[in-house]
Amino acid sequence: MGHALGGGSPVRVFTTQDRWNSLAHKISTMGDFKPEIILEKSGVVAIDPRDPAAVEAVNALPEPCLVTVADHTVMPVIPAFRLLAARLDPRHPVLLKDRLDDACEPPAASLTALLAAATRLGSLLCDGIGDAILVRGEPGPAASLRLAYNILQAAGTRIFKTDYVACPSCGRTLFNLQHTTQKIRAATGHLKGVRIAVMGCIVNGPGEMADADFGYVGGAPGKINLYVGKTPVQFNIPEAAAVTRLIGLIREHGKWLEPPAGSEDNT
Ligand code: SF4
């Protein structure tokens, strides 16, 4: 379907033919949450990773081929895919699925599906396993795609929107962390692949910003320090002006985009 898969390609988002059909009329308007590959057209080979003959047959194939764990394999999802990845020749890309029992269990409620998919797929992606993912525990076709992309983003596998790192807040926090994070998200949520840290104080905040591109850190009561990477570049900005100054800093570093007119909040 025109998307490279495996090797250094981005981790792809699969959907089923049924779900594709139900979304077909609006795929062009789905922005960053479009389905990329239809499961039934992908030629994926499904095997039980405990079956040495099946693994050997796939490993003997002359060309790389997309492989997944077969439905109804009686194993929990995470160990099943870890076993597959351990036994499979690494030239074969792997399709991860959040469930191996799609046909025999009723669809889970959305929150349950979200937690199960995030735990299973997120763990595997953080292990470095997986070249494509399929979320099917979430019953809504569009919601399952949003969930798939959000899992990729949260795992740091495929950054397609702004990423935020915030401290949990404590007695040292120098501003209303939740309110400020929401304000920053509202102003910057449309950017692509920018990571912003929002930290309550300069005592521990800068050390906890991980690999953020920009930092918004409480410097003193009502005053904010701004960082580029781990370097402080602006000090003691009044809180009321700090989000505007942060936007200016993002702009100076060539990472600002004007928000699209009428864009949806997909955060
Ligand atoms: S960064 Fe500062 S305010 Fe935030 S949790 Fe750590 S010590 Fe508390």
Side-chain angles (χ1 to χ4, degrees):
M1 300 181 70
H3 297 291
L5 194 155
S9 302
V11 175
R12 297 298 178 190
V13 172
F14 274 52
T15 193
T16 59
Q17 183 72 62
D18 284 356
R19 290 181 178 202
W20 178 283
N21 293 347
S22 71
L23 293 169
H25 64 288
K26 61 172 185 180
I27 284 176
S28 60
T29 66
M30 289 176 71
D32 289 324
F33 298 95
K34 285 189 179 99
E36 294 182 307
I37 299 177
I38 297 172
L39 178 72
E40 291 84 346
K41 291 188 174 168
S42 66
V44 64
V45 174
I47 61 172
D48 182 336
R50 297 166 301 180
D51 178 352
V55 174
E56 202 178 312
V58 169
N59 283 345
L61 292 172
E63 297 294 328
C65 106
L66 181 64
V67 184
T68 192
V69 174
D71 285 347
H72 312 298
T73 298
V74 186
M75 283 185 78
V77 172
I78 296 173
F81 278 99
R82 283 182 178 156
L83 186 62
L84 179 69
R87 294 188 168 169
L88 199 62
D89 188 315
R91 70 203 163 92
H92 295 310
V94 172
L95 168 65
L96 304 178
K97 300 182 285 195
D98 59 336
R99 293 169 62 140
L100 299 175
D101 55 2
D102 190 47
C104 62
E105 282 190 8
S110 281
L111 183 58
T112 310
L114 182 153
L115 293 172
T119 307
R120 294 167 184 168
L121 299 178
S123 299
L124 293 161
L125 291 165
C126 290
D127 284 346
I129 297 170
D131 299 277
I133 64 171
L134 172 67
V135 171
R136 52 189 188 179
E138 161 55 57
S144 70
L145 292 166
R146 281 198 299 278
L147 178 53
Y149 278 104
N150 284 330
I151 290 171
L152 292 179
Q153 167 100 12
T157 305
R158 188 164 164 183
I159 305 296
F160 64 98
K161 60 180 182 178
T162 324
D163 203 23
Y164 300 92
V165 183
C167 77
S169 83
C170 73
R172 293 186 198 271
T173 308
L174 291 164
F175 53 84
N176 182 322
L177 200 89
Q178 273 182 305
H179 174 74
T180 304
T181 306
Q182 282 310 326
K183 232 169 43 174
I184 294 173
R185 283 179 67 148
T188 60
H190 62 287
L191 301 177
K192 302 281 179 197
V194 176
R195 188 165 281 165
I196 299 173
V198 186
M199 296 288 157
C201 77
I202 50 171
V203 180
N204 293 322
E208 294 174 8
M209 292 197 299
D211 52 353
D213 301 305
F214 300 96
Y216 181 109
V217 182
K223 298 289 168 64
I224 303 300
N225 295 351
L226 296 179
Y227 286 65
V228 174
K230 292 201 180 298
T231 308
V233 293
Q234 295 186 22
F235 299 88
N236 293 323
I237 303 161
E239 198 182 332
V243 174
T244 308
R245 295 278 285 273
L246 174 66
I247 291 170
L249 201 56
I250 296 171
R251 200 189 295 275
E252 270 173 40
H253 285 77
K255 299 206 168 178
W256 179 255
L257 296 171
E258 292 307 325
S263 61
E264 278 182 43
D265 179 4
N266 286 321
T267 57

